[in-house]
Amino acid sequence: MKVTIDQDKCVASGQCVVAAADVFDQRDEDGIAVLLNPDPSAEQAVDVRHAAVVCPALAIHIEE
């Protein structure tokens, strides 16, 4: 699994961090999502997929 974030689309809702805090974080200055781990483990895959689904801006992209 390879994860990317389109930071231009991100609306800083923080849903990705709630869903998968080991993979996503937010910049302090504006709340835009940042990727901590672009290659999450198999154990993190369910949470990462959930983060992509709940992202209101659909800014998270997953390549299997």
Side-chain angles (χ1 to χ4, degrees), residues 5-6 9-16 19 24 33 48-61:
I5 298 174
D6 184 342
K9 290 174 82 175
C10 180
V11 295
S13 73
Q15 295 302 307
C16 58
F24 302 99
V48 172
R49 286 187 190 100
H50 178 70
V53 168
V54 299
C55 175
L58 302 176
I60 299 169
H61 305 283

Side-chain angles (χ1 to χ4, degrees), residues 26-42:
Q26 290 178 280
R27 295 190 305 219
D28 289 335
E29 62 272 12
D30 58 7
I32 298 298
V34 293
L35 198 53
L36 300 176
N37 181 3
D39 300 303
S41 68

